[in-house]
């Protein structure tokens, strides 16, 4: 889909469809009012007859509106004016784009981006509109032999701004929104791929392709490389599978070479059966999503590269499959991690922290400014926060604040969780430096506490995205989160927000 920015009046648009908003209790937005005037009251007539009541999420398509140059007018209900916020803005764009996709319209001029959203500027509205539009039209049908063809798919969307002096910031936001949407689409595609396709080697080859396309550095470490380094925690996870593990390292250089990089680490378990601590069968297919951390850091990297952000970035993806087998790691096994600390593996299903701890130690070599890991780490985080917020942990309060703010701005929220020493008690082992499982109480916290022991040498944050990376149910699928949060953090760090 193509996007552009325009400044003009709705009745003068020659596009296939003009989209304007209406509030509940028949209150027209300004662009709707302009159309209404040109049409001699045709729109307020429709509202008065009750065909459109302005309720949030509703739409009404009108043809042959007098006085307007467009072929169609789409009215979008916005709910009550006093309740119109960020969420309602996104919903309105989604409803509009979904409806447009079902009409024969090839292009459309959307005037919803002129709506005031409390505390948000025009750049925010344009970014979010593009992200919502791409999200609403996302499809993953590459494994369907018959794809549901859309008769005449929507190709071009024009977003309007109210004033000429908003054109420049809107154009910049357009680039940003497209970059973030592109990163999200990649994260969704990778997440949705079946685990027999998306295995560690596949992730590595996709990383290499991306590097070629975007001019990134890329290095892949194989099992032998990791053995030499002593990444035994990571390697222990892949003992039970025929799929060789991979450590994927990508680099984007947008600033001077001597500037310290931000490092993003993503959990890349391409399938988590639990290993010998086998998971129950119900919904086990969803454990193909256990590489969504990896997918999201790749998505954030793509977004940063497309926005040409003036900063240096490294992405580290420990990729492995967790399977039971005669050679698999047993509960009770003890391994020495890359950091030298020893780990008693009490539960082979707590595998994410094992691959991440070695990846975090590996990050030290880049002399990082900040390290952020992203992982579908614990079922406990789903219980704590559901699918609304990602769990956020950090060993610096300032970093936590920045990430919370980024999540807020992106409407991809996180919630700050505690990393207090008191929780470290749960990781005590009689035989090794620590166990890999703190038991059921505060499961998301103790997982983060485990990781914190490998992040002492740098500013570090951890996002537990077990509840936010995908949605379950009939229309299950990867969400692309937390690409928007990460991208906004990077924008903020680059001084662009
Ligand atoms: N990948 C899972 C976490 C998960 C579970 C994400 C359900 C989304 C939905 C992770 O590897 C895991 O199995 N964690 C265990 C840890 C426990 C054994 C300490 C968990 O959460 O049960
Ligand atoms: Mn697991
Ligand atoms: Zn897992």
């Amino acid at each position: 889909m193509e996007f552009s920015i325009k400044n003009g009046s709705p009745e003068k648009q020659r596009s296939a469809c003009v989209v304007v908003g209406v509030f509940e209790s028949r209150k027209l937005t300004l662009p709707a009012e302009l159309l209404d005037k040109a049409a001699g009251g045709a729109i307020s007539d429709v509202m008065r007859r009750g065909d459109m009541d302005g309720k949030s999420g509703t739409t009404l398509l009108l043809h042959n509106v007098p006085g307007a140059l467009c072929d169609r007018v789409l009215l979008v209900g916005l709910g009550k004016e006093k309740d119109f916020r960020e969420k309602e803005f996104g919903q309105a764009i989604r409803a509009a784009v979904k409806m447009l996709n079902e009409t024969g319209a090839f292009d459309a001029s959307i005037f919803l981006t002129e709506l005031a959203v409390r505390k948000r500027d025009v750049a925010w509205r344009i970014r979010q509109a593009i992200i919502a539009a791409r999200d609403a039209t996302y499809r993953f049908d590459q494994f369907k032999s018959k794809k549901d063809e859309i008769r005449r798919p929507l190709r071009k969307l024009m977003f309007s701004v109210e004033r000429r002096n908003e054109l420049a910031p809107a154009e910049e936001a357009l680039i940003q929104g497209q970059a973030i949407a592109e990163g999200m689409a990649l994260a969704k595609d990778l997440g949705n791929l079946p685990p027999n396709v998306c295995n560690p080697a596949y992730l590595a080859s996709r990383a290499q392709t991306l590097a070629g396309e975007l001019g990134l550095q890329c290095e892949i470490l194989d099992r032998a490389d990791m053995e030499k380094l002593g990444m035994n925690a990571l390697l222990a996870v892949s003992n039970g599978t025929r799929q060789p593990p991979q450590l994927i390292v990508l680099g984007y250089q947008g600033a001077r070479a001597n500037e310290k990089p931000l490092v993003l680490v993503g959990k890349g378990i391409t399938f988590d059966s639990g290993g010998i601590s086998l998971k129950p069968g119900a919904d086990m297919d969803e454990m193909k999503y256990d590489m969504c951390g990896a997918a999201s850091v790749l998505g954030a990297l793509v977004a940063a590269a497309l926005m040409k952000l003036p900063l240096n970035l490294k992405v580290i993806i420990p990729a492995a499959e967790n399977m039971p087998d005669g050679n698999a790691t047993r509960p009770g096994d003890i391994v020495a991690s890359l950091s030298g600390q020893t780990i008693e593996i009490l539960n082979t299903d707590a595998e994410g922290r094992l691959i991440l701890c070695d990846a975090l130690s590996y990050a030290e070599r880049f002399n990082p400014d900040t390290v952020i890991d992203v992982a579908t780490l614990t079922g406990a985080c789903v219980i704590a926060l559901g699918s609304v917020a990602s769990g956020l942990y950090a060993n610096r309060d300032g970093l936590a604040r920045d990430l919370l703010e980024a999540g807020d701005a992106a409407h991809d929220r996180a919630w700050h969780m505690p990393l207090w020493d008191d929780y470290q008690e749960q990781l005590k082992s009689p035989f090794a430096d620590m166990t890999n499982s703190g038991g059921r109480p505060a499961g998301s916290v103790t997982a983060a506490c485990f990781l914190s022991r490998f992040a002492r040498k740098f500013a570090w944050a951890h996002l537990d995205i077990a509840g936010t990376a995908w949605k379950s149910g009939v229309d299950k699928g990867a969400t692309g989160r937390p690409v928007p949060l990460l991208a906004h953090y990077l924008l903020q760090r680059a001084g662009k927000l």
Side-chain angles (χ1 to χ4, degrees), residues 267 269 272-275 279 287 290 322 347-352 376-377:
K267 174 179 174 182
I269 295 290
D272 181 13
S273 70
K279 285 184 181 294
M287 284 301 123
D290 215 14
N322 188 22
N347 191 324
T348 64
D349 198 11
E351 84 298 337
T376 48
L377 203 60

Side-chain angles (χ1 to χ4, degrees), residues 117-356:
V117 180
R118 209 170 62 170
K119 290 200 286 191
R120 301 300 182 196
D121 57 9
V122 66
W124 183 91
R125 299 194 302 262
I126 296 293
R127 261 195 316 269
Q128 293 308 111
I130 290 169
I131 292 170
R134 284 280 306 265
D135 196 56
T137 50
Y138 175 82
R139 289 199 290 174
F140 185 78
D141 55 10
Q142 62 185 96
F143 294 93
K144 297 254 194 204
S145 12
K146 276 209 206 86
K147 318 202 189 297
D148 0 318
E149 291 301 338
I150 292 178
R151 283 167 299 148
R152 281 184 69 196
L154 181 63
R155 278 283 148 71
K156 289 186 177 174
L157 286 184
M158 271 90 71
F159 291 114
S160 75
V161 295
E162 208 178 348
R163 286 183 291 276
R164 294 200 60 84
N165 65 3
E166 291 175 331
L167 283 168
E171 290 289 351
E172 195 180 3
L174 175 95
I175 306 278
Q176 295 169 346
Q178 280 176 301
I180 296 168
E182 195 60 32
M184 284 176 81
L186 172 69
K188 284 187 251 184
D189 280 347
L190 290 174
N192 287 332
L193 281 169
N196 59 331
V197 172
C198 183
N199 56 32
Y202 178 87
L203 280 181
S205 86
R206 285 294 295 264
Q208 266 164 332
T209 311
L210 275 179
E213 288 166 359
L214 295 167
L216 311 170
Q217 304 138 282
C218 182
E219 195 188 353
I220 312 286
L221 278 66
D222 62 13
R223 181 183 275 133
D225 299 326
M226 291 189 265
E227 274 168 5
K228 230 174 281 159
L229 284 165
M231 304 183 90
N232 302 309
L234 190 160
L235 291 169
V237 174
S238 55
N239 278 346
T241 173
R242 310 280 174 89
Q243 303 300 330
Q246 314 276 340
L247 187 77
I248 303 163
V249 185
L250 287 155
Y252 162 75
Q253 196 189 319
R256 282 197 319 265
N258 62 358
E259 219 162 281
K260 287 180 167 192
L262 300 167
V263 179
L264 301 177
V265 180
K267 174 179 174 182
I269 295 290
T270 58
F271 187 72
D272 181 13
S273 70
I276 296 298
S277 313
L278 194 63
K279 285 184 181 294
D283 299 325
M284 206 203 270
D285 65 291
E286 295 194 3
M287 284 301 123
K288 72 172 183 179
Y289 292 115
D290 215 14
M291 35 56 68
C292 282
S296 72
V297 296
L298 281 176
L301 174 69
V302 166
L306 292 175
M307 294 189 280
K308 300 195 169 68
L309 294 184
L311 39 80
N312 295 333
L313 207 56
K314 291 275 181 199
V315 159
I316 306 176
I317 295 172
E321 187 181 51
N322 188 22
M323 294 291 256
D325 176 79
N327 194 44
T329 295
R330 293 155 287 258
D333 283 1
I334 295 179
V335 294
S337 65
L338 176 57
S339 73
Q341 301 177 90
T342 58
I343 304 161
E344 183 188 15
I345 300 175
L346 284 185
N347 191 324
T348 64
D349 198 11
E351 84 298 337
R353 64 197 78 182
L354 296 175
I355 64 168
L356 288 168

Side-chain angles (χ1 to χ4, degrees), residues 382-442:
V382 189
I383 301 301
L385 300 174
S387 60
V388 177
S390 303
L392 167 66
Y393 300 83
N395 63 7
R396 303 279 193 285
D397 283 340
L399 176 56
R401 226 178 301 119
D402 290 349
L403 286 165
L404 283 177
E405 222 168 83
D408 242 24
H411 206 71
D412 175 13
R413 286 173 297 181
W415 188 253
H416 195 180
M417 304 279 282
L419 256 187
W420 297 320
D421 273 345
D422 311 56
Y423 291 105
Q424 296 279 0
E425 301 288 318
Q426 285 172 245
L427 297 173
K428 273 196 179 142
S429 161
F431 306 117
D433 298 341
M434 68 193 87
T435 76
N436 76 326
S437 163
R440 283 169 56 85

